[in-house]
Amino acid sequence: MSATSWEKQKDNTFVFKMSQPIPSYLIALAVGDIVSADVGPRSRVWAEPCLIEAAKKEYDGVIEEFLTVGEKLFGPYVWGRYDILFMPPSFPFGGMENPCLTFVTPCLLAGDRSLVDVIIHEISHSWFGNLVTNATWGEFWLNEGFTMYAQRRISTEVYGSAYTCLEAATGRALLRQHMDNTGEDHPLNKLRVVIEPGVNPDDTYNETPYEKGYCFVSYLAHLVGDQNKFDAFLQAYVNQFKFQSITADDTLGFFLEYFPELKEKGVESIPGFEFDRWLNTPGWPPYLPDLSPGEQLMKPADELAELWAADSLNMEAIEAVDITAWRTYQLVYFLDQVLQKSPLPEGNVERLSNMYPKISKALNAELRLRWCQIVLKNNLEAEYSKVKDFLHSQVRPWAALCTLLVHVQFITHQYPQVLLCRAALHLSIHPSTHPSTHPPVCTDSGGCPDPGAGPCT
Ligand SMILES: [Zn+2]
C-alpha cells in the first residue's frame, strides 16, 4: 500500500501507517505475490518475482537524481520513501502517483532505460497534486498543468533545454490533435470545466488540463520574466498550500500576492490573456512557451526523414548521420516525420528497418507504436507480425488498433468501423477484452466496435 510504514502481523494481517494527510483518491492498495529490490537510498522497486530483476536493472540509481533535483527546485520531499510498483499489463495508465509508492505500467521496462524519464512526471506529483491538491476535478489542471511544468523543469536541469523542448513539442502536437478531434470550442477544452450530469468524468481526462495547463503555468512564468524568481514562487506556493486542497482562485490570488508589482500592473486582465479567459474559455492556449531550443534536435531529425523520403536514396548522406545517441523523443520526432511523409517510395522502409534495428526492433513502447504506424501506412507486409505482436501485448488491442489507425489516417469520419474491422481481420486481431482488464478499460471502447460484437464481415 502507498503508506509510510507497514508490518505483517499474525494470520496474514498487514497494518499500514500513513503519517501525512492525503486526499482519499491517493489511497491505493495492491495485493499479490510482490517482491522488492533496492534501487536508491530511499527507493525500491516492487514487482511480481518474474519482473523484479528487469525492474531493478532499469531503475537502479536513477530515481535519486530526479528526487534531488525536484527538492532543489520545489522544496523538501516530504513523503519519506519513493518506491515504484510495477503493475500487471492490465493497468490502464502510464502511472499513478500514489504517495510513497507510485504505481506504473510495465511498459516502462524498455530494457535499455530509454523510458526511465517517464517517472519524472510521477515524481513531480510529490509536490503538485499530492502535496497541493485540486479541490475539485473541474480544476484538474492545478494537478496536471503544474506537474507538467515541474516535470519539464526537472528535465531541463537533467537533460537540458533542447531535449525538454523537443518533448514539450510532442505534447503540444498531442494537444493540437486533441483539439482538432474534439473541436476547439468543446466545453471540456477549458481549464475550469463544469462536470455536470451528462458529462462523463472520464472525458475530462484529456490533453487540455495537461498541456493547456502547462501553457498557463508557463504564461505565469513569462509574466514574472525570471526563472529563478518563478522557481522561488513555486517553492513558496507549495509551502503555503501543502497538505491542502485548493482552487484556481487560491493559486492565482497567491500569485498576485507574491508578485505585488504584477498585481499593480493588472496582469490578470491583459486583453486576450485574461486569467478569466484562460480558465473559462475553451480553445487553443492564448500563450505558447518558446520551444525553439528543441530545434537543434529537430533539424537533424527533419533532414534525416527527408533523406529517407527521396526517390533515390543517398546512402552516403544517410550513413553519415549517427542516431545511436538520439534519445527517445528525438527518435519519436524522426519517426513522426517519416510517418507524415509515408508512404515512402518503394523499398525505402525495408532499408530503413534494416539500417536502424534500434528502432524497428525496439521494446520501447513509444517507438514500437510509431514503427507499427509506419509499417501499416507503407503496407510493409513483411513486418505485419510486429504490429500483431504489439497489439496483442496491449490489454486493449481494439483501442490500440484505433490509435494506430487514427494516426495513420486510415479512418475516415464516414466508415471508421468498417475500416477497423477490415484492418483487424487482416492483422488477426479479435475484438475481445481480457476478463482481468481494469474496469475503466472495459468501458473505453474509444469509438471502436463493441468488444462483444460478433465477427465483422
Ligand atoms: Zn499526472
Side-chain angles (χ1 to χ4, degrees):
M1 184 182 156
S2 53
T4 312
S5 61
W6 59 276
E7 65 175 293
K8 184 180 176 184
Q9 297 180 345
K10 61 180 167 59
D11 303 330
N12 269 349
T13 303
F14 293 82
V15 177
F16 298 92
K17 192 175 159 210
M18 183 68 191
S19 318
Q20 301 92 346
I22 54 168
S24 54
Y25 78 94
L26 290 176
I27 297 172
L29 196 67
V31 179
D33 180 12
I34 301 167
V35 292
S36 70
D38 281 332
V39 291
R42 46 185 159 173
S43 299
R44 252 178 234 136
V45 285
W46 297 80
E48 288 177 273
C50 60
L51 270 190
I52 197 68
E53 269 313 306
K56 182 176 167 62
K57 218 171 129 208
E58 200 86 0
Y59 278 89
D60 204 6
V62 301
I63 294 171
E64 190 59 25
E65 182 184 12
F66 300 148
L67 281 174
T68 309
V69 176
E71 288 192 296
K72 190 185 90 185
L73 291 170
F74 315 121
Y77 178 78
V78 302
W79 308 99
R81 300 202 60 80
Y82 188 91
D83 290 359
I84 304 178
L85 170 66
F86 288 86
M87 298 288 280
S90 60
F91 185 60
F93 308 109
M96 180 59 213
E97 64 272 15
N98 308 307
C100 309
L101 180 66
T102 284
F103 289 20
V104 295
T105 168
C107 285
L108 298 194
L109 299 174
D112 57 2
R113 296 192 163 192
S114 57
L115 285 175
V116 290
D117 52 348
V118 173
I119 207 69
I120 299 177
H121 180 90
E122 309 307 329
I123 287 174
S124 300
H125 274 304
S126 306
W127 294 271
F128 304 97
N130 294 5
L131 197 49
V132 180
T133 308
N134 52 217
T136 79
W137 295 112
E139 292 187 328
F140 189 37
W141 76 276
L142 286 176
N143 278 15
E144 296 301 342
F146 273 88
T147 292
M148 292 306 296
Y149 189 85
Q151 169 199 322
R152 287 169 181 158
R153 282 294 296 118
I154 295 177
S155 170
T156 300
E157 296 293 309
V158 178
Y159 301 115
S161 65
Y163 187 71
T164 304
C165 287
L166 181 65
E167 181 277 318
T170 311
R172 187 180 292 175
L174 288 174
L175 180 66
R176 182 70 268 165
Q177 197 175 53
H178 163 74
M179 291 222 176
D180 287 346
N181 289 343
T182 56
E184 284 199 7
D185 289 344
H186 194 285
L188 295 184
N189 288 337
K190 297 187 278 194
L191 290 181
R192 179 184 279 155
V193 300
V194 182
I195 305 176
E196 54 194 356
V199 174
N200 183 345
D202 263 1
D203 292 342
T204 66
Y205 181 77
N206 60 49
E207 297 299 331
T208 297
Y210 289 79
E211 294 295 346
K212 189 174 177 180
Y214 166 69
C215 289
F216 190 22
V217 180
S218 301
Y219 176 63
L220 297 178
H222 165 75
L223 287 174
V224 174
D226 180 318
Q227 188 67 60
N228 290 334
K229 280 188 189 163
F230 192 69
D231 288 347
F233 159 74
L234 290 176
Q235 271 205 34
Y237 170 69
V238 168
N239 195 44
Q240 174 78 12
F241 295 113
K242 61 188 174 197
F243 303 117
Q244 293 177 53
S245 296
I246 62 168
T247 65
D249 289 339
D250 297 320
T251 302
L252 297 172
F254 182 71
F255 175 78
L256 293 172
E257 208 177 284
Y258 189 86
F259 295 109
E261 66 281 12
L262 294 181
K263 186 177 184 181
E264 211 162 283
K265 276 206 259 174
V267 293
E268 75 274 29
S269 50
I270 297 171
F273 303 91
E274 299 89 345
F275 288 0
D276 181 64
R277 175 184 165 152
W278 275 102
L279 295 177
N280 298 311
T281 305
W284 193 241
Y287 168 87
L288 297 170
D290 175 23
L291 302 181
S292 60
E295 282 164 16
Q296 59 177 282
L297 298 177
M298 290 180 204
K299 197 163 169 276
D302 274 326
E303 287 168 357
L304 187 61
E306 200 66 56
L307 287 169
W308 280 107
D311 284 323
S312 163
L313 291 178
N314 179 348
M315 291 312 291
E316 202 183 326
I318 286 173
E319 281 163 12
V321 183
D322 179 10
I323 68 161
T324 50
W326 290 15
R327 295 176 51 80
T328 295
Y329 280 101
Q330 192 171 13
L331 292 169
V332 162
Y333 180 80
F334 165 65
L335 292 178
D336 283 344
Q337 304 318 304
V338 171
L339 183 62
Q340 270 180 27
K341 294 175 195 303
S342 291
L344 302 187
E346 187 80 33
N348 287 16
V349 175
E350 286 97 323
R351 294 187 77 173
L352 194 152
S353 173
N354 293 332
M355 177 103 180
Y356 307 131
K358 174 184 169 123
I359 291 172
S360 58
K361 295 200 165 98
L363 295 176
N364 177 322
E366 294 282 359
L367 300 181
R368 275 180 97 187
L369 172 69
R370 266 78 179 185
W371 184 247
C372 288
Q373 290 166 347
I374 289 169
V375 165
L376 286 177
K377 201 164 178 184
N378 287 277
N379 291 320
L380 189 61
E381 289 198 24
E383 298 206 15
Y384 275 6
S385 61
K386 284 185 186 162
V387 181
K388 198 171 136 187
D389 291 346
F390 178 65
L391 292 173
H392 280 301
S393 75
Q394 303 295 302
V395 74
R396 40 181 183 173
W398 268 109
L401 186 58
C402 290
T403 309
L404 279 177
L405 298 185
V406 164
H407 285 271
V408 296
Q409 291 151 2
F410 261 79
I411 297 182
T412 67
H413 286 299
Q414 288 82 25
Y415 302 110
Q417 297 206 354
V418 172
L419 286 170
L420 264 174
C421 289
R422 278 194 197 146
L425 280 176
H426 203 58
L427 295 165
S428 312
I429 297 298
H430 300 288
S432 59
T433 314
H434 194 278
S436 69
T437 299
H438 192 278
V441 178
C442 298
T443 57
D444 176 16
S445 58
C448 301
D450 175 1
C456 310
T457 51

